[in-house]
């Protein structure tokens, strides 16, 4: 750890930051976006939360973790909804118009699905690996271990 005093000073703000970030992300999502994304957007969310969880859980366990952190990162963040617009700004002819609208709807649906599924997958992973002797090992973000 390079700056332990900074980490100690910022630690009390961690809970507030988490609440504010997730409130900001969740307040922009609507059920209509899920409908607009349709089955491809929902499938994309399932793939992100479930299928991609397998390799990241394996890597987390391989590097000494319990697998829970790997499961927790297997989501499509709400900020990814801006990716199709960024692509369209690079090449409007290829990625603009109907392609932009469809891609944005699908990524928004994916973000909503992963916002629901990723906590469930993470909870399952925690409960599953807790029974394998890792339940007493908790990561402390303040101490870094």
């Amino acid at each position: 750890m390079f700056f332990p005093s900074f980490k100690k000073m910022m630690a009390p703000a961690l809970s507030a930051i988490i609440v504010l970030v997730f409130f900001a992300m969740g307040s922009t999502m609507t059920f209509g976006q899920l409908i607009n994304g349709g089955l491809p957007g929902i499938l994309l969310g399932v793939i992100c939360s479930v299928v991609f969880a397998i390799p990241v859980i394996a890597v987390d366990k391989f590097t000494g973790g319990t697998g829970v952190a790997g499961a927790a990162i297997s989501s499509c963040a709400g900020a990814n909804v801006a990716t199709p617009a960024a692509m369209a700004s690079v090449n409007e002819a290829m990625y603009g118009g109907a392609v932009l609208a469809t891609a944005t709807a699908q990524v928004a649906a994916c973000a909503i699905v992963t916002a629901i599924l990723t906590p469930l997958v993470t909870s399952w992973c925690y409960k599953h690996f807790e029974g394998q002797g890792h339940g007493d090992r908790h990561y402390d973000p303040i101490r870094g271990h």
Side-chain angles (χ1 to χ4, degrees), residues 30-44:
T30 65
F31 189 69
Q33 290 172 316
L34 185 63
I35 300 301
N36 289 339
L39 189 59
I42 294 169
L43 182 60
L44 186 60

Side-chain angles (χ1 to χ4, degrees), residues 97-136:
V99 172
L100 173 62
T102 301
T104 301
Q106 288 175 350
V107 176
C110 178
I112 293 168
V113 170
T114 61
I116 296 166
L117 286 182
T118 299
L120 297 173
V121 170
T122 304
S123 176
W124 173 86
C125 186
Y126 177 78
K127 290 173 185 171
H128 176 73
F129 293 120
E130 182 179 23
Q132 295 181 1
H134 293 292
D136 57 343

Side-chain angles (χ1 to χ4, degrees), residues 54-124:
I54 296 167
V56 292
I57 289 169
V59 169
D60 185 23
K61 290 185 69 58
F62 178 74
T63 57
T66 62
V68 176
I73 65 168
S74 63
S75 72
C76 171
N80 288 344
V81 177
T83 301
M87 296 290 292
S89 71
V90 172
N91 189 341
E92 180 70 31
M94 183 180 282
Y95 302 113
V99 172
L100 173 62
T102 301
T104 301
Q106 288 175 350
V107 176
C110 178
I112 293 168
V113 170
T114 61
I116 296 166
L117 286 182
T118 299
L120 297 173
V121 170
T122 304
S123 176
W124 173 86

Side-chain angles (χ1 to χ4, degrees), residues 9-33:
M9 178 182 71
M10 298 303 289
L14 184 61
S15 297
I17 290 170
I18 290 170
V19 169
L20 289 174
V21 167
F22 283 105
F23 176 77
M25 184 175 76
S27 66
T28 61
M29 295 179 181
T30 65
F31 189 69
Q33 290 172 316

